[in-house]
Amino acid sequence: MASHPRAALDRPSRRTLANAIRALAMDAVQAARSGHPGAPMGMADIAEVLWNDYLRHNPANPRWPDRDRFVLSNGHGSMLLYALAHLSGYPLTIEELKNFRQMGARTAGHPELDLDIGVETTTGPLGQGITNAVGMALAEQLLGEYFNRPGHRIVEHRTYVFLGDGCLMEGISHEACSLAGTLKLGKLICFYDDNGISIDGEVAGWFADDTPARFNGYGWHVIPDVDGHDPEALRAAVDASLDDPRPSLICCKTVIGFGAPNLQGTAATHGSPLGDAEVAATRDAIGWTSPPFAVPDEVAHAWDARSAGAAREQEWQARFAAYAEAHPGLAEEFTRRMNGDLPANWAQTAAAALAEIAAEQPTEATRKSSLRALNALAPGLPELVGGSADLTGSNCTKHSESTPVTPDSPGGNYVYFGVREFGMAAMCNGLALHGGLIPYGGTFLTFSDYSRNALRMAALMRVQNIAVFTHDSIGLGEDGPTHQPVEHLASLQLIPNMRVWRPCDAAETLVAWGDAIERRDGPTCLLLTRQGLPAQARGDDQLANIRRGGYVLQDAKAPELVLIATGSEVQLAIDAAEQLTKAGRAVRVVSMPCVSLFKAQDAAYRDAVLPPSLTRRLAVEAGATQLWHELVGPGGRIIGIDRFGESAPAPELFAHFGFTVDNVVNVANEMLANS
């Protein structure tokens, strides 16, 4: 059913409202001498119809749980979003628009997460915005299935997306949109800015896809050839999409840089200021008589959405109050989850699980320890939603309480993402951005290359995304160097705000999962083995110190050398220390499952684990060595691997590359002899 919260505006008034976007966009880009005026000017009429007639939002409360989500996937056109936020009443001042793309301004060149001004997600890398939006639409579906009850629908919103040719050329859009069609995410409505222009010019020479046929093939509801400058045609297209059970793509024929008399329809408007002369000519052409950054009072009043937004939220609050009266337990759970709070008994659950695993001391691959942790923690976390990129059995991501999400069963908590690593990671970002869910996704560590940019965006936006990466080293064996990660651990650690865990046994794995679940200000990567690993003996203090990223696992009186190891190499360090001890050497063994966490500890703790006076430090890790130099120092050594692997059984590979007790002992003795 169509929803028109405002009375229909006649076409000249609509064009005037759209021209406010065009004027602000070209003025801001011109002032910055940098930016993309073409998309905002070309999509202004679409934005006016969507934001004034359909979008349910409240500028005074951008965190209203049942607001519609709006994602500008072609994020280079960011002045469109900033103009909309300013005009509709978000706290984004005209001064911020004047400071577009300047140091310290909230109006970055590509919008980052800033809910207070209506920015739902970072949309810089093309294709990720639409994929984040698929995750948001999936979140709406999952939460609605969980919480809605007959006569009480408290989760009932849509996700609207603007996207362009660049988004559709990026392969990630195929990954996400294919899955969106399969899962029938009917609350997802996308507007394709079909202007035929990208940075290099007319796209017909390199993008000749039949886009409507492509999306029809995905199982979408597609409306082709809509005049993107005709409000009534746009309204008809949206009305036809609102009740369709499939995701919708409205293909809008637009003119990039609409209104610029000499440059519209050309690549010159895509990524460069129009120039002072063309800005003046555009003002004349569209009849905009106001000076730069000025909006007439009657236009500003027509755009102001604060009163209508408050009324919409108040109506929802009344519905939620009725829901809370009928279903108090569910209402409390909904509030908890949307606030991002963990269950009241979370700490006790995690502590009990750790105590049980510490007592059992299982010998197993840490990927299986990860499943053990999920089986212990997931039943008390209904917000935990995960899946795998077609490696469920190998990643061990499907726990005992998992319920698959399918086209015929839209609820659940487990997603079969298919072979879509990049799409999975970006959809998980969308699930987290929506709120109410904690997402995780699994694949092999070597395929983190495919998902890396989405993980970088998670770190940049500081959103929770748990990446489960199994088969974490040459230890996966015969599949060979294409599947054997070497540089991947170091590569992930280089991402600012990324937390990377490489646990050595079941206890460290459970602690890593607990930390990832509790962490709400960034993503976490769990790097897990295919091969079995023995459990390590620990006292209570050592168990507690796992959470500090690095700790003394085995010690000696007045140690003269320290072995530092992660993951599967911790046992190797323990065995080498035993031989060195028998030879009369005093050796400390440090397990370092999360380097970034260890480095974040206070200096007193770090110095207690790695005393500055203890300069003979030997790091052992089956991966690239570059990042270890900071911790081992100039007097230290590293046993690692800085070349690609080989196809052979894992034991042969470890021996070939020097990950043996004898080699560790020999290197340690060399260091001790040279003291």
Side-chain angles (χ1 to χ4, degrees):
M1 179 180 295
S3 173
H4 306 299
R6 294 187 178 190
L9 301 162
D10 62 39
R11 187 162 183 166
S13 295
R14 284 192 177 277
R15 181 53 53 81
T16 299
L17 296 182
N19 285 343
I21 298 173
R22 295 185 171 100
L24 289 174
M26 67 180 182
D27 287 345
V29 172
Q30 192 64 28
R33 296 293 190 266
S34 173
H36 301 74
M41 297 174 73
M43 297 194 79
D45 295 304
I46 306 171
E48 188 278 319
V49 168
L50 175 63
W51 279 60
N52 281 331
D53 284 17
Y54 296 95
L55 193 71
R56 296 170 61 253
H57 66 119
N58 181 7
N61 182 14
R63 289 170 174 77
W64 167 31
D66 203 41
R67 69 189 181 278
D68 289 337
R69 271 63 170 175
F70 174 76
V71 176
L72 182 71
S73 188
N74 45 347
H76 54 272
S78 55
M79 265 311 304
L80 174 63
L81 180 54
Y82 298 141
L84 287 165
H86 170 74
L87 290 166
S88 60
Y90 288 86
L92 188 67
T93 67
I94 201 70
E95 292 302 316
E96 290 285 5
L97 270 58
K98 291 179 179 179
N99 287 325
F100 178 56
R101 286 181 166 235
Q102 304 309 300
M103 179 71 73
R106 298 182 81 170
T107 46
H110 290 83
E112 298 175 10
L113 174 62
D114 191 346
L115 283 182
D116 289 335
I117 59 170
V119 179
E120 296 276 0
T121 178
T122 292
T123 55
L126 292 175
Q128 289 204 53
I130 172 60
T131 310
N132 292 165
V134 171
M136 291 176 175
L138 177 59
E140 190 276 342
Q141 175 178 289
L142 298 180
L143 290 168
E145 288 292 321
Y146 189 94
F147 286 106
N148 289 340
R149 292 295 184 270
H152 298 280
R153 298 187 65 82
I154 60 165
V155 182
E156 188 75 9
H157 55 267
R158 301 181 189 277
T159 302
Y160 293 101
V161 185
F162 283 3
L163 69 158
D165 291 307
C167 296
L168 295 178
M169 283 187 260
E170 290 286 0
I172 190 175
S173 69
H174 164 70
E175 295 184 25
C177 295
S178 169
L179 187 55
T182 299
L183 295 179
K184 301 178 182 177
L185 301 180
K187 297 289 185 65
L188 177 65
I189 298 179
C190 302
F191 298 82
Y192 166 35
D193 182 28
D194 185 9
N195 60 37
I197 297 293
S198 66
I199 293 176
D200 282 349
E202 297 183 9
V203 301
W206 50 87
F207 185 56
D209 297 15
D210 185 341
T211 296
R214 169 185 165 185
F215 278 77
N216 275 318
Y218 293 151
W220 284 49
H221 166 239
V222 180
I223 304 179
D225 300 321
V226 175
D227 184 346
H229 302 295
D230 180 347
E232 293 311 312
L234 290 164
R235 282 164 55 96
V238 177
D239 288 347
S241 302
L242 290 175
D243 287 332
D244 198 286
R246 300 164 293 176
S248 294
L249 181 72
I250 301 172
C251 301
C252 303
K253 294 290 185 180
T254 64
V255 177
I256 191 171
F258 184 94
N262 304 302
L263 297 178
Q264 66 178 7
T266 72
T269 69
H270 178 94
S272 301
L274 298 181
D276 292 331
E278 188 71 2
V279 168
T282 302
R283 275 185 154 72
D284 289 340
I286 66 176
W288 191 262
T289 59
S290 298
F293 295 105
V295 178
D297 289 344
E298 64 273 15
V299 174
H301 177 74
W303 265 109
D304 193 333
R306 287 173 291 187
S307 178
R312 293 188 194 100
E313 183 181 355
Q314 287 170 7
E315 185 274 333
W316 180 83
Q317 292 288 1
R319 286 193 286 117
F320 186 76
Y323 175 81
E325 184 174 350
H327 305 283
L330 283 172
E332 184 178 349
E333 176 74 1
F334 179 81
T335 300
R336 176 188 72 78
R337 287 170 60 172
M338 295 309 296
N339 286 341
D341 299 328
L342 289 170
N345 65 343
W346 162 254
Q348 293 90 333
T349 299
L354 180 58
E356 181 178 347
I357 283 179
E360 290 181 0
Q361 292 196 315
T363 295
E364 60 189 6
T366 51
R367 61 172 175 158
K368 293 185 178 179
S369 300
S370 174
L371 180 58
R372 181 189 294 270
L374 280 170
N375 284 333
L377 301 176
L381 283 173
E383 60 263 53
L384 193 64
V385 172
S388 169
D390 201 48
L391 290 167
T392 291
S394 295
N395 296 151
C396 300
T397 43
K398 190 169 182 283
H399 57 80
S400 58
E401 299 290 322
S402 293
T403 302
V405 180
T406 70
D408 299 321
S409 180
N413 59 7
Y414 193 82
V415 182
Y416 290 101
F417 285 101
V419 188
R420 300 181 177 100
E421 296 90 354
F422 192 4
M424 174 180 67
M427 281 182 64
C428 284
N429 284 347
L431 288 164
L433 287 160
H434 179 281
L437 300 170
I438 298 175
Y440 68 93
T443 187
F444 289 172
L445 178 55
T446 191
F447 302 142
S448 64
D449 286 334
Y450 289 153
S451 52
R452 178 183 173 85
N453 199 256
L455 294 175
R456 180 178 183 270
M457 291 300 101
L460 175 61
M461 293 185 287
R462 306 187 75 85
V463 299
Q464 187 174 32
N465 183 341
I466 304 173
V468 180
F469 292 128
T470 68
H471 297 61
D472 72 335
S473 73
I474 57 173
L476 72 88
E478 293 87 344
D479 277 344
T482 61
H483 281 50
Q484 292 167 5
V486 173
E487 76 281 16
H488 300 74
L489 168 57
S491 175
L492 291 169
Q493 286 178 329
L494 285 171
I495 300 175
N497 197 41
M498 177 64 71
R499 193 169 291 178
V500 181
W501 284 86
R502 188 170 185 247
C504 75
D505 65 1
E508 286 191 356
T509 303
L510 188 135
V511 171
W513 261 109
D515 182 72
I517 288 168
E518 292 174 14
R519 187 183 188 213
R520 296 304 175 99
D521 64 350
T524 300
C525 295
L526 307 178
L527 278 52
L528 309 168
T529 66
R530 178 193 186 190
Q531 71 274 26
L533 302 180
Q536 300 298 327
R538 300 177 182 85
D540 291 342
D541 288 346
Q542 290 169 309
L543 281 172
N545 284 336
I546 296 173
R547 293 296 296 264
R548 306 188 78 164
Y551 62 101
V552 178
L553 179 60
Q554 183 173 293
D555 209 0
K557 185 177 181 180
E560 52 188 327
L561 177 141
V562 59
L563 298 176
I564 314 168
T566 75
S568 51
E569 286 68 71
V570 168
Q571 184 60 46
L572 178 59
I574 290 289
D575 292 342
E578 182 180 358
Q579 285 204 17
L580 289 164
T581 301
K582 289 179 179 178
R585 293 297 190 175
V587 179
R588 170 177 289 184
V589 177
V590 169
S591 178
M592 189 75 68
C594 185
V595 174
S596 62
L597 256 182
F598 176 75
K599 290 166 69 173
Q601 302 303 307
D602 60 85
Y605 178 79
R606 295 196 311 271
D607 289 348
V609 175
L610 297 175
S613 60
L614 187 52
T615 58
R616 289 188 291 273
R617 303 175 182 179
L618 174 56
V620 187
E621 184 175 67
T625 63
Q626 289 88 339
L627 298 186
W628 278 109
H629 292 282
E630 178 184 355
L631 282 178
V632 300
R637 296 275 296 272
I638 306 162
I639 297 175
I641 176 169
D642 288 317
R643 50 151 290 186
F644 293 120
E646 300 283 351
S647 182
E652 294 181 26
L653 289 167
F654 280 117
H656 178 74
F657 288 107
F659 295 99
T660 64
V661 173
D662 286 347
N663 188 48
V664 175
V665 169
N666 288 339
V667 174
N669 281 327
E670 289 176 10
M671 297 173 68
L672 291 165
N674 293 330
S675 59

